[in-house]
Amino acid sequence: MASLGQIIFYILSLVQSLNRLPVANLGKDYMLSCFLPPDSEQSTLQEVSVTWRKESLEGVVYRYEDGAESTSEQDSEYSGRVEIFRDVVPKGNASLLLRKVRRSDAGKYTCSLSHSGGSGKVNIILRTAAFTAPTFTLSNGVLTAEASRWFPRPNVTWLDADDNVLQGSTDLQQSSAGIFRVVSTLQSVNVSDIYTCSIKTELVVSHSDATVTTDSDVTMETYFTFNAASPLIAPYLRIMCVFYVYLL
Ligand SMILES: *[C@@H]1O[C@H](CO)[C@@H](O)[C@H](O)[C@H]1NC(C)=O
Ligand SMILES: *[C@@H]1O[C@H](CO)[C@@H](O)[C@H](O)[C@H]1NC(C)=O
Ligand SMILES: *[C@@H]1O[C@H](CO)[C@@H](O)[C@H](O)[C@H]1NC(C)=O
């Protein structure tokens, strides 16, 4: 639990993140965002220090100080997989690129930045999942949605334009790496109708609208939504609220 001192420190901290509760796609690269307000004073690389840590990890994820990367304390899990962008560091941007995200990368990260334009920390809770947009094909009145990479095991739902649930048939094939390939079919679709296919895990939902344009053609549009609720962050937010009330 955070102490009052820590809470005040976080409130005064100028360091920000575009997303403090991101979901990274397994096997892909992900940028953990950490930066000072854009109007901050410039610094030189020599004067900036950046440290990325991860909760319950002995070593550091990444450290940059005295104008150079410092790998002596780096945990081997992150060796060669992380980098910051030296061209933007003088402006106070300490965002970290994490390559080929693994399941074990999930957890709470802290970005600490010391810069002449301001200093502080920001916490980011990274969750991991695999998700890809499905592609749709139509043949003999059967609409098929195929998505190559999902994790953990997703649920697939089909809806018509009035949000009635339709009976589809879903096949999930798990690769040796544990990733699911999703193939779901809907029988007897009708030309000019729009069907919605949702692929859902606890963290990620893909929503696709497939419009049957002719008896052999279908157009589609997909967007993703991510679960923003975190059991880890809730107690912390509650403390912030109580503290805010005291301030008033
Ligand atoms: C920080 O730098 C990265 C890498 O150049 C860039 O993608 C990102 O948009 C920058 N963030 C901000 C807030 O400027
Ligand atoms: C297509 O239209 C027929 C006739 O109205 C209906 O019975 C059938 O359920 C429709 N197909 C789907 C997938 O909604
Ligand atoms: C998937 O469906 C099962 C059975 O209906 C349900 O128990 C589970 O909570 C669902 N999972 C998600 C992520 O919606």
Side-chain angles (χ1 to χ4, degrees):
M1 187 112 333
S3 72
L4 196 62
Q6 277 173 316
I7 292 165
I8 292 170
F9 184 75
Y10 279 108
I11 288 173
L12 297 179
S13 171
L14 289 170
V15 179
Q16 305 171 1
S17 180
L18 287 177
N19 192 347
R20 295 177 46 194
L21 207 54
V23 180
N25 206 340
L26 290 167
K28 310 274 185 210
D29 297 349
Y30 191 81
M31 179 100 70
L32 291 163
S33 150
C34 171
F35 57 92
L36 289 172
D39 55 354
S40 300
E41 188 186 315
Q42 284 262 347
S43 189
T44 66
L45 266 177
Q46 294 293 330
E47 291 167 340
V48 183
S49 83
V50 177
T51 307
W52 279 90
R53 290 184 181 279
K54 186 175 178 227
E55 194 171 63
S56 36
L57 197 69
E58 189 81 5
V60 300
V61 171
Y62 184 87
R63 177 169 287 159
Y64 189 91
E65 59 190 355
D66 302 325
E69 238 175 63
S70 159
T71 52
S72 57
E73 286 176 60
Q74 190 176 41
D75 190 278
S76 59
E77 269 277 302
Y78 292 94
S79 168
R81 291 176 61 223
V82 284
E83 68 173 305
I84 56 171
F85 295 85
R86 289 174 204 210
D87 52 331
V88 291
V89 168
K91 294 182 212 154
N93 182 339
S95 298
L96 185 80
L97 182 69
L98 176 57
R99 290 220 169 76
K100 296 205 169 136
V101 170
R102 306 168 178 171
R103 246 180 264 173
S104 56
D105 290 336
K108 182 172 166 183
Y109 291 77
T110 303
C111 167
S112 310
L113 177 60
S114 161
H115 185 282
S116 57
S119 296
K121 301 185 184 200
V122 66
N123 287 335
I124 297 169
I125 296 171
L126 180 71
R127 291 92 48 89
T128 62
F131 49 96
T132 50
T135 56
F136 290 83
T137 49
L138 180 65
S139 174
N140 298 320
V142 180
L143 184 58
T144 303
E146 282 188 75
S148 55
R149 299 174 57 257
W150 278 82
F151 185 84
R153 176 184 287 273
N155 286 350
V156 180
T157 314
W158 289 91
L159 301 173
D160 67 13
D162 298 322
D163 282 347
N164 298 309
V165 176
L166 302 172
Q167 193 61 50
S169 159
T170 300
D171 180 41
L172 298 171
Q173 296 153 11
Q174 199 170 12
S175 73
S176 53
I179 304 292
F180 292 92
R181 176 180 175 75
V182 180
V183 180
S184 189
T185 54
L186 184 66
Q187 304 286 331
S188 316
V189 298
N190 299 303
V191 173
S192 307
D193 279 358
I194 300 174
Y195 300 95
T196 301
C197 175
S198 300
I199 307 177
K200 180 179 183 195
T201 66
E202 254 165 50
L203 290 180
V204 185
V205 185
S206 79
H207 310 260
S208 307
D209 287 332
T211 308
V212 177
T213 49
T214 69
D215 60 10
S216 63
D217 203 18
V218 56
T219 61
M220 65 214 87
E221 222 172 280
T222 298
Y223 67 93
F224 292 95
T225 54
F226 299 95
N227 182 341
S230 161
L232 288 171
I233 210 167
Y236 175 63
L237 285 178
R238 208 150 47 228
I239 292 175
M240 294 277 287
C241 291
V242 169
F243 181 64
Y244 185 63
V245 169
Y246 282 149
L247 276 178
L248 296 174

